Amino acid sequence: AGLGEAIASAAGGIVSADAQAAFEAALKLDPANPKASFYLAMGMAQEGRIEEATAGWQKMLAALPQDSAWRAAVEQALAESARQSVASGVPAKGPDAGDIDAASSMSPQDREAMINTMVAGLDERLRQNPRDAEGWMQLIRSYVVLGKADQARDALNRGIAVFGSDSEEAKKFTAFAVSLGLTATE
């Protein structure tokens, strides 16, 4: 994983085929290696495979311990990919090695402030362009991860209202929220 990171850093944050091969080898040795998982998802995002990258980061986030130093980087990557795809309709490029280094060297308070700013930006974009089911699920998850249950419930209820309470999206949002330990009636 360290070799893959070095190769990506030398390439200005681009996950090249050589870096990808190093990360895949690391995952064969340690399937739970967060660095390898993160960078492989970042490579997918750089290739325009944003849905696969998002799924990879979401899977990674679900498996990470609450105190993992990787949680902030994964949340940042998810928020950034959601922000860019909502804002431009163009697949987002993931954060580069410099972004990750910057986030990992921040104080916990600065990292939290950065994440809160990105989540607030996603919330605002959904107010302007509310027909984004994936964006609503990202917003709900982000608020839950940040420990903001009231705002998560508000996002859940707003998302349901956009699509209608009997819609497939509403059912998906409700099931997703429940899987995060959140219900609309709390």
Side-chain angles (χ1 to χ4, degrees):
L3 173 63
E5 184 178 37
I7 293 168
S9 289
I14 302 299
V15 180
S16 66
D18 290 340
Q20 183 177 348
F23 292 128
E24 288 170 351
L27 284 178
K28 284 181 183 163
L29 296 171
D30 176 12
N33 185 302
K35 183 181 291 186
S37 297
F38 182 86
Y39 276 99
L40 284 173
M42 188 167 77
M44 288 180 228
Q46 291 170 350
E47 293 171 2
R49 297 163 43 203
I50 199 67
E51 289 180 16
E52 292 172 71
T54 299
W57 283 320
Q58 289 171 341
K59 179 180 176 187
M60 184 181 170
L61 190 63
L64 284 172
Q66 287 296 321
D67 61 349
S68 172
W70 282 97
R71 290 189 80 80
V74 173
E75 279 295 316
Q76 177 187 1
L78 285 166
E80 180 65 17
S81 64
R83 181 189 67 77
Q84 288 185 1
S85 60
V86 167
S88 66
V90 175
K93 179 180 166 200
D96 63 26
D99 295 335
I100 295 160
D101 290 343
S104 64
S105 66
M106 289 179 174
S107 71
Q109 296 84 1
D110 288 346
R111 225 183 354 256
E112 185 175 342
M114 177 189 69
I115 292 168
N116 283 326
T117 299
M118 288 190 287
V119 172
L122 175 59
D123 194 325
E124 182 56 34
R125 277 181 287 289
L126 285 169
R127 290 177 192 275
Q128 295 171 11
N129 180 18
R131 304 286 303 174
D132 177 6
E134 293 300 316
W136 284 109
M137 293 198 318
Q138 176 61 38
L139 184 62
I140 293 164
R141 176 188 305 100
S142 297
Y143 281 136
V144 168
V145 168
L146 292 171
K148 297 180 176 183
D150 289 341
Q151 287 172 289
R153 270 188 288 284
D154 178 60
L156 170 62
N157 292 328
R158 286 189 291 136
I160 289 170
V162 166
F163 291 95
S165 60
D166 293 331
S167 68
E168 284 304 309
E169 290 87 350
K171 292 173 188 163
K172 187 174 168 184
F173 295 161
T174 302
F176 178 70
V178 169
S179 78
L180 297 173
L182 184 75
T183 62
T185 58
E186 287 181 303

